[in-house]
Amino acid sequence: MMSPAPWIESSLAALVNHLWQSTVVILAAWLLTFALRSHPARVRHWVWMTASAKFLLPFSLLISLGSHWAHPRTGIKTGSALYTAMDEISRPYAPLPTHAAGPSIAAGQLGLTHWMPLIAVVVWLGGSMAVFGVWFARWTRAVKIAQRAIVLASGRELEALRRVERDVGWPRPMPLLLLPITMEPGVFGIWHPALLWPAGISGYLDDAQLDSIFAHELAHVRRRDNLAAAAHMLVEALFWFHPLVWWLGDRLTDERERACDEDVLQLRLLPAAYAESILKVCKFCLESPLPCVSGVTGSDLKKRITRIMANRPGAAPGLDGKIAWAAAALLMLTLPLGFGILHAMQAPAQLLHADKTPGPTFEVATIKPNNDTRPGLLFQLSPIGFKAHHASLKDLVRFAYAMKSDNQAIGAPSWWDSEFFDVEAKEADADVEAAKPLPMDTQMNQLRLRVQSLLAERFQFRTSFETRELPVYALVVAQGGIKMKEVQPDPPPRPGIPAPPGAHLPQLRMTAPNQFTAIAWPIEEMTDWLSRFDELGSRIVVNETGLTGHYDWVLNGVSQRPQQPADPNSSAPSQPAISLFTALPEQLGLKLEPRRAPVEVLVIDHVEQPSPN
């Protein structure tokens, strides 16, 4: 039984996070508009528009931009309250790992639950297409109506429109289109708006009422209300299933019409004439065929007429109010960006590379093709050199740059894991002597840098480095706490001196089939080891446990590689491996959570087959 693509589950988890964040922004906007209820409607309208725009601007996008701008650095503490809070806000929900129930669950047992992510995508797509279809049909109808209109070049209506344009200082004369049908007057178009005017309505309106209707429509044009309406229509089509999106649309319409009413009354037009003109339009016309055609009869008519007759424009926001509103909008933008920068500065899985300095080299090295089709990779690291048997270019690059995952290599050639080589390299005697007093990890890094120089010389290997947002697994403490024993490792012996018997030195060994035993093993080394499990699908494991010590532990029943089918001729019972997602919480008190994090990747710019010896 096939399973839905992993990106569907990841996308649904990201959508849940985005909806949660956007819902919080809507509630915050509601509180803010309540606090601003005595201010002009245009202020509240922009607050609601900010909440609508949040649906089109996920926090994760801002965080990714911040990650892109920042360069990774070490030593950034990620446990601060601000960092932790933003981390939770950015992803309060995460997709369940595909192996969370263990490999023992048969595909047929998954049932409907297994296909729920794909079903949800199909339902969402169908709903969005339906909403888009309705909008498109109504837009097409409005276009056809506009095409049948006659452009007025003279007359009482055009003179009134030009008079109002002069009063408000509008620089571009707006076309006035006479419609052959009965409908509400409205502004049609976004970039080049025109005023649709139904034939016969002018006879119901005196000059003052005519001026007030034109002033209202011109207010829509000046405020770019059709553009704002179209933007929220896109939000409604994409998030049609969210009830607050439609409620938000009603709030936008109400404040939009109220803001235009306030603009009309500021022109010193009589409130009674303006209110009567709206009532006459309602009596004469039908509703506009499309919400993004800004008309004159929107919002709650009874409350609207009452407000117009009261003629109580909202108090203009003071300097402190403007600063507070601007700071709130800026905070919503800069906080995710800042978190992304911090997130990138502590980017995990840094590759080993020399910064603009030539690395150490081997004294002599031989590279020979190995055409054996049987698997048998072997690395031998000695005090004087390096040997690799049946190693592919991928194997050599992984070792040389301390890669944890195949995902960290971009632009690899097609033969990079299908052509194999035997490599034997020897260091100069002086380099061997100079390395003896150095710590073991320093010696290992120098050996890796020498292999990098070998790749550059013999494979013409040229590379660059980037930081990209990749899927990872975060190692965190499971509910109930850790089940490992924290210990203090013995000091390592000096180079060249064997360790005394029973020394508690860091080591990790396979002590039985599918059993790993660790002694004084550092938690950071554990994440490197977990990253090599095939079950994780090449995702890097990053340490988010908050632990920094050394631990003794035993992990039973897990396998780094897929197990071969049991021999049918063998009498020994088959012992399938336990899922890592099951074994870690039960045996060590740790668990893996899917995340996305900035990871340094190696971009292969050029590589060739190795030169002959």
Side-chain angles (χ1 to χ4, degrees):
M1 178 179 178
M2 295 179 59
S3 61
W7 67 265
I8 294 181
E9 295 185 6
S10 299
S11 299
L12 285 177
L15 176 62
V16 171
N17 292 337
H18 177 55
L19 292 176
W20 181 86
Q21 299 154 12
S22 301
T23 301
V24 170
V25 171
I26 289 180
L27 296 178
W30 176 74
L31 293 175
L32 186 57
T33 55
F34 180 78
L36 297 173
R37 61 188 181 278
S38 61
H39 288 69
R42 65 178 183 275
V43 176
R44 295 188 298 275
H45 182 264
W46 277 110
V47 172
W48 290 122
M49 277 304 303
T50 302
S52 176
K54 170 62 187 70
F55 279 90
L56 302 178
L57 193 64
F59 276 161
S60 58
L61 174 61
L62 298 177
I63 291 172
S64 298
L65 289 176
S67 300
H68 179 74
W69 290 341
H71 296 286
R73 296 289 185 270
T74 58
I76 300 298
K77 300 295 184 182
T78 61
S80 65
L82 173 62
Y83 187 93
T84 303
M86 276 306 302
D87 191 46
E88 292 301 319
I89 290 174
S90 66
R91 50 167 189 255
Y93 302 99
L96 291 175
T98 55
H99 304 281
S104 60
I105 297 180
Q109 295 175 308
L110 296 176
L112 182 63
T113 303
H114 185 65
W115 289 101
M116 282 302 295
L118 184 58
I119 293 173
V121 170
V122 172
V123 172
W124 165 79
L125 186 60
S128 291
M129 295 296 292
V131 175
F132 273 121
V134 171
W135 292 146
F136 181 76
R138 298 178 71 178
W139 177 265
T140 302
R141 179 188 170 196
V143 170
K144 291 181 178 179
I145 291 174
Q147 290 175 344
R148 295 163 54 192
I150 301 173
V151 179
L152 289 179
S154 61
R156 171 175 170 248
E157 298 87 349
L158 188 62
E159 292 176 358
L161 177 59
R162 296 294 179 256
R163 182 170 58 249
V164 174
E165 289 175 343
R166 289 192 299 269
D167 291 342
V168 301
W170 185 247
R172 297 183 299 274
M174 184 168 53
L176 183 61
L177 306 182
L178 186 64
L179 300 176
I181 63 173
T182 300
M183 62 170 284
E184 176 188 354
V187 176
F188 179 73
I190 296 176
W191 310 117
H192 303 287
L195 179 56
L196 305 182
W197 191 256
I201 193 174
S202 300
Y204 291 82
L205 304 172
D206 60 28
D207 289 345
Q209 295 167 352
L210 198 63
D211 287 354
S212 64
I213 295 298
F214 285 143
H216 179 96
E217 299 303 332
L218 197 57
H220 281 305
V221 176
R222 296 165 62 195
R223 290 168 35 82
R224 298 286 184 183
D225 281 336
N226 279 358
L227 178 61
H232 188 69
M233 284 169 55
L234 177 61
V235 172
E236 290 178 337
L238 294 177
F239 301 95
W240 55 268
F241 51 86
H242 197 314
L244 287 184
V245 166
W246 301 96
W247 177 80
L248 178 59
D250 292 339
R251 304 285 73 72
L252 284 167
T253 300
D254 182 71
E255 297 295 353
R256 178 185 70 191
E257 297 303 325
R258 187 168 178 175
C260 290
D261 292 343
E262 292 175 355
D263 287 350
V264 172
L265 295 176
Q266 286 179 357
L267 295 177
R268 307 301 181 185
L269 296 175
L270 294 176
Y274 182 38
E276 189 176 359
S277 67
I278 294 176
L279 294 175
K280 288 183 177 180
V281 168
C282 291
K283 183 178 179 180
F284 178 82
C285 302
L286 300 173
E287 185 182 0
S288 296
L290 192 67
C292 64
V293 175
S294 298
V296 73
T297 62
S299 187
D300 188 301
L301 188 59
K302 182 178 180 180
K303 292 181 179 179
R304 188 175 169 194
I305 295 299
T306 302
R307 287 196 302 261
I308 291 173
M309 294 304 298
N311 192 15
R312 296 173 182 170
L319 180 61
D320 55 345
K322 293 179 180 178
I323 293 176
W325 181 70
L330 189 63
L331 186 63
M332 191 179 72
L333 177 67
T334 57
L335 195 59
L337 285 173
F339 173 73
I341 293 173
L342 287 177
H343 200 44
M345 292 175 70
Q346 56 87 40
Q350 297 300 297
L351 300 173
L352 175 68
H353 56 95
D355 293 327
K356 301 181 181 179
T357 57
T361 60
F362 292 109
E363 183 179 35
V364 292
T366 60
I367 300 178
K368 297 179 181 179
N370 185 320
N371 298 320
D372 193 347
T373 58
R374 295 171 298 177
L377 172 65
L378 176 65
F379 275 179
Q380 291 182 351
L381 312 179
S382 69
I384 63 172
F386 167 82
K387 290 183 180 181
H389 173 74
H390 202 265
S392 65
L393 174 62
K394 181 178 76 170
D395 298 325
L396 296 173
V397 171
R398 283 188 64 129
F399 172 79
Y401 291 91
M403 287 171 47
K404 298 181 181 180
S405 164
D406 293 346
N407 292 340
Q408 287 184 273
I410 307 297
S414 59
W415 52 271
W416 106 306
D417 58 354
S418 59
E419 300 286 337
F420 300 94
F421 309 92
D422 291 336
V423 180
E424 185 171 354
K426 181 180 179 299
E427 299 178 26
D429 293 339
D431 292 337
V432 174
E433 292 297 323
K436 285 182 179 180
L438 299 177
M440 187 58 66
D441 57 347
T442 303
Q443 294 185 38
M444 178 61 70
N445 284 343
Q446 287 193 351
L447 181 60
R448 293 180 188 274
L449 292 175
R450 285 187 169 89
V451 177
Q452 290 183 21
S453 299
L454 180 65
L455 290 170
E457 178 184 355
R458 303 295 295 276
F459 287 82
Q460 301 302 306
F461 192 77
R462 303 290 182 268
T463 187
S464 55
F465 300 89
E466 295 180 2
T467 299
R468 298 191 180 187
E469 195 87 1
L470 296 180
V472 302
Y473 279 110
L475 184 67
V476 300
V477 177
Q479 187 175 4
I482 63 172
K483 302 176 182 179
M484 306 179 296
K485 180 182 178 182
E486 186 172 8
V487 297
Q488 184 66 35
D490 293 335
R494 288 182 298 174
I497 300 177
H504 210 69
L505 298 176
Q507 59 178 301
L508 174 64
R509 296 180 295 131
M510 178 181 285
T511 50
N514 296 343
Q515 181 187 72
F516 295 89
T517 300
I519 298 176
W521 196 248
I523 194 73
E524 290 295 342
E525 294 293 334
M526 185 179 186
T527 58
D528 293 351
W529 173 69
L530 290 173
S531 298
R532 300 186 180 96
F533 274 71
D534 288 352
E535 186 180 7
L536 303 189
S538 296
R539 288 195 184 192
I540 291 172
V541 178
V542 297
N543 179 23
E544 294 192 9
T545 61
L547 306 175
T548 57
H550 295 68
Y551 297 87
D552 289 350
W553 48 265
V554 177
L555 190 61
N556 285 302
V558 297
S559 176
Q560 285 189 308
R561 302 289 177 263
Q563 286 189 304
Q564 299 296 325
D567 185 357
N569 300 320
S570 174
S571 59
S574 174
Q575 297 292 333
I578 303 174
S579 169
L580 199 60
F581 296 96
T582 301
L584 284 176
E586 291 180 352
Q587 302 179 35
L588 304 186
L590 302 172
K591 66 177 181 178
L592 296 170
E593 293 183 348
R595 303 276 178 85
R596 292 186 68 86
V599 176
E600 190 176 32
V601 298
L602 180 147
V603 181
I604 301 175
D605 301 317
H606 180 78
V607 66
E608 300 176 3
Q609 291 279 357
S611 57
N613 295 314

